[in-house]
Structure formats: C-alpha cells, structure tokens
Amino acid sequence: MSRSPDAKEDPVECPLCMEPLEIDDINFFPCTCGYQICRFCWHRIRTDENGLCPACRKPYPEDPAVYKPLSQEELQRIKNEKKQKQNERKQKISENRKHLASVRVVQKNLVFVVGLSQRLADPEVLKRPEYFGKFGKIHKVVINNSTSYAGSQGPSASAYVTYIRSEDALRAIQCVNNVVVDGRTLKASLGTTKYCSYFLKNMQCPKPDCMYLHELGDEAASFTKEEMQAGKHQEYEQKLLQELYKLNPNFLQLSTGSVDKNKNKVTPLQRYDTPIDKPSDSLSIGNGDNSQQISNSDTHPHQFIQSQCTVSF
C-alpha cells in the first residue's frame, strides 16, 4: 500500500476534500482496506463523525493501519526534486517562446503616426477634438521625439495613439495618412508591439505599466521582421479595412456630425476652407496619395484634411 515518495507530476488528491495530499500523507493509509485519505479528513471522521471508513464502513483503529512518516532527508530530497522539475518546466516554456522575440503583433486599436512637428508633439494636443480626438475615444497617447522617420523633412516626432475601439483607429489612419501639416507629410498606420522580455522568460513582469505583451497575440496579426519588411502587416491592415468597409460603407462618416444642443439634432461639421478636388461623399478603402497643404498662418488650431475622407480636423 505504500507509495514511492518521489515527486509526482500530478499530485495525488484526497478523495474526500479533493485537496492534494501533503508529502507526509503519501504513505498514510488509515484503514486495513487500503482506502487512502488525508490525515485531516481521517481526524475529522474520527472526532466529529461516525469514525467509519468511507469505503468499507469498518471503524477506524486508534492507529492508522499503514503510516510511515518520511525522514527529513527524504522530505528535503522531494522538495529539491519538485523545485528542479518546476525550473525545467519554466526553461522549456522559455525555449518554446524564444522565437517570439523577433515577432511583432499588430494592435488593431493602435495608430502609429510619424512626421509630427514639435508643435503637435504633445499628448494633450493630439487628444483634442480638432486632432485625433475627433475620431473616437482615446485611451492613451505616447510621444517619441527621438525619431528620424521623416527623412528629408527634417527632425520630427512620432506618436502612438491608442483608441478604445479598433474602428476609430482605422478611421483616423484613413483620414490622416499623407496629410501635410507644418510642411511635413504625416504617415499613419496600425502600430505593432513586441512581447515583454519577462513573458518570454516565463517570469512575472515587475512593471505595472509595461506596454509590451504578456500573453500570446492573435496569430493572424503576428509577423516576423522579415514578413514586415515584405509588407505583410500592411496587407493585414488593408484586410481589416476592407472587412470594416463591408460591414459599414459609411464608417468614415461616423464623426462628421456634431450635436446641436439647442435643436437636439446632428449637423454637419464646418469644413476647412481649403479647396477640395473630390466631393465630400467620396470614400476610399486604401490610404490615398492625395494630400492637402495646410497654411501655418491661421489663428485657430491647424486642421488635417484629406479629400477622400468625409471628416476633417
């Protein structure tokens, strides 16, 4: 009836309380029939209940039928073996995640925009209703001033704009991409993120506000660096846009109105006075190449505007 005291992958449970048996209970068999329970349940049955074995219904003897306590050396050996197996399991998980270090996952609600002038490189500015705030509710804006994405346009900043809803992010990209502001052409796309180094090592991340991934991302939205260089992530973005357009062909127009509090009805937003080549009801699924130059001499906040987009800011 005795069991090997070696560490088990799946611990034996007490059939009554369903708790894993303690190390000291592995060789505890209180009844001659061989029905094994933990010492806690055995004591409870003898002191608070009828004192009968749940299996054969014989009264429990004063001393357990079989009980061979483990020595301190055996206990320590089992603990060491258990700890070693846990470390081996963590190492195996870490090995299986090693390839994820070069994987980037597209975030459907994250807009990555480059080419921002220093005037716009402020989270509170970009959150305003006349800027990215007009496309939907924003969760967070992070600015990176040390970028050179703009190339010949000179020093510029980039920003990560996280929306609550993914469709708002796609709408912002459609209306902002290739727009010229302060002499710089903005480029916008869905942002990507990588896996946290602690997650890759199967460790608890100590950073409560860590911006990286701590769980496996959507496989369809995951791309290696080589796949991103081949433009696979852009194809994924276009697929999302096409799917959204099929569900709602007018999704670009969702932010084109404002509520008149006096009349309690939606009225069109007043558009910027710069001439537009295409009519306002023109829609495009792809990120267009047309751009509209915004003058820097206006006293009111600058507005981004793209001829194929029915919203402007």
Side-chain angles (χ1 to χ4, degrees), residues 81-215:
E81 289 178 353
K82 186 175 181 180
K83 185 175 181 181
Q84 181 180 355
K85 289 187 177 182
Q86 288 176 343
N87 291 336
E88 290 175 353
R89 190 180 297 111
K90 286 184 178 181
Q91 183 67 25
K92 186 176 181 180
I93 294 176
S94 180
E95 288 293 327
N96 292 337
R97 293 176 179 176
K98 185 177 294 185
H99 71 284
L100 296 176
S102 61
V103 172
R104 299 296 181 265
V105 182
V106 174
Q107 303 299 296
K108 298 179 183 179
N109 63 333
L110 177 64
V111 176
F112 177 55
V113 57
V114 300
L116 296 170
S117 65
Q118 289 302 311
R119 182 180 63 84
L120 297 176
D122 185 326
E124 296 306 317
V125 171
L126 294 182
K127 286 180 182 179
R128 293 177 184 173
E130 61 267 30
Y131 296 111
F132 283 90
K134 77 175 310 170
F135 300 112
K137 189 174 181 180
I138 293 176
H139 171 67
K140 188 177 184 180
V141 176
V142 177
I143 300 293
N144 184 1
N145 286 301
S146 58
T147 60
S148 58
Y149 295 102
S152 59
Q153 296 183 150
S156 64
S158 64
Y160 288 92
V161 183
T162 305
Y163 285 93
I164 300 297
R165 304 193 310 167
S166 58
E167 53 264 42
D168 296 335
L170 289 172
R171 185 184 305 115
I173 291 171
Q174 283 299 101
C175 297
V176 173
N177 191 46
N178 290 315
V179 168
V180 177
V181 180
D182 294 346
R184 294 173 173 81
T185 301
L186 302 183
K187 294 291 183 180
S189 63
L190 286 178
T192 63
T193 189
K194 62 181 181 179
Y195 287 97
C196 175
S197 59
Y198 288 95
F199 172 77
L200 297 179
K201 298 175 184 176
N202 195 33
M203 299 171 61
Q204 184 71 28
C205 179
K207 303 176 182 178
D209 56 346
C210 182
M211 298 174 61
Y212 300 127
L213 295 176
H214 299 90
E215 59 183 15

Side-chain angles (χ1 to χ4, degrees), residues 6-17:
D6 294 338
K8 298 288 184 179
E9 286 291 339
D10 298 319
V12 179
E13 293 180 345
C14 171
L16 300 185
C17 65

Side-chain angles (χ1 to χ4, degrees), residues 3 26 40 73 120 137 171 197 220 240 244 254 269 289:
R3 299 179 186 273
I26 291 177
F40 176 83
E73 291 75 13
L120 297 176
K137 189 174 181 180
R171 185 184 305 115
S197 59
L240 293 178
L244 180 58
L254 294 181
L269 281 177
D289 293 327

Side-chain angles (χ1 to χ4, degrees), residues 177-279:
N177 191 46
N178 290 315
V179 168
V180 177
V181 180
D182 294 346
R184 294 173 173 81
T185 301
L186 302 183
K187 294 291 183 180
S189 63
L190 286 178
T192 63
T193 189
K194 62 181 181 179
Y195 287 97
C196 175
S197 59
Y198 288 95
F199 172 77
L200 297 179
K201 298 175 184 176
N202 195 33
M203 299 171 61
Q204 184 71 28
C205 179
K207 303 176 182 178
D209 56 346
C210 182
M211 298 174 61
Y212 300 127
L213 295 176
H214 299 90
E215 59 183 15
L216 291 176
D218 183 2
E219 186 175 353
S222 302
F223 304 93
T224 63
K225 292 181 179 179
E226 292 75 18
E227 289 174 333
M228 292 188 66
Q229 290 174 354
K232 296 297 183 181
H233 64 300
Q234 295 173 336
E235 295 177 6
Y236 174 75
E237 179 180 314
Q238 289 300 307
K239 181 181 177 182
L240 293 178
L241 188 60
Q242 291 169 3
E243 291 174 351
L244 180 58
Y245 184 76
K246 288 179 181 179
L247 292 174
N248 182 12
N250 297 319
F251 83 97
L252 289 178
Q253 298 177 323
L254 294 181
S255 296
T256 59
S258 61
V259 177
D260 187 331
K261 295 182 180 179
N262 296 326
K263 298 180 180 180
N264 196 26
K265 66 179 181 178
V266 175
T267 58
L269 281 177
Q270 190 172 14
R271 303 194 60 152
Y272 197 65
D273 294 332
T274 309
I276 299 175
D277 295 331
K278 293 184 180 181

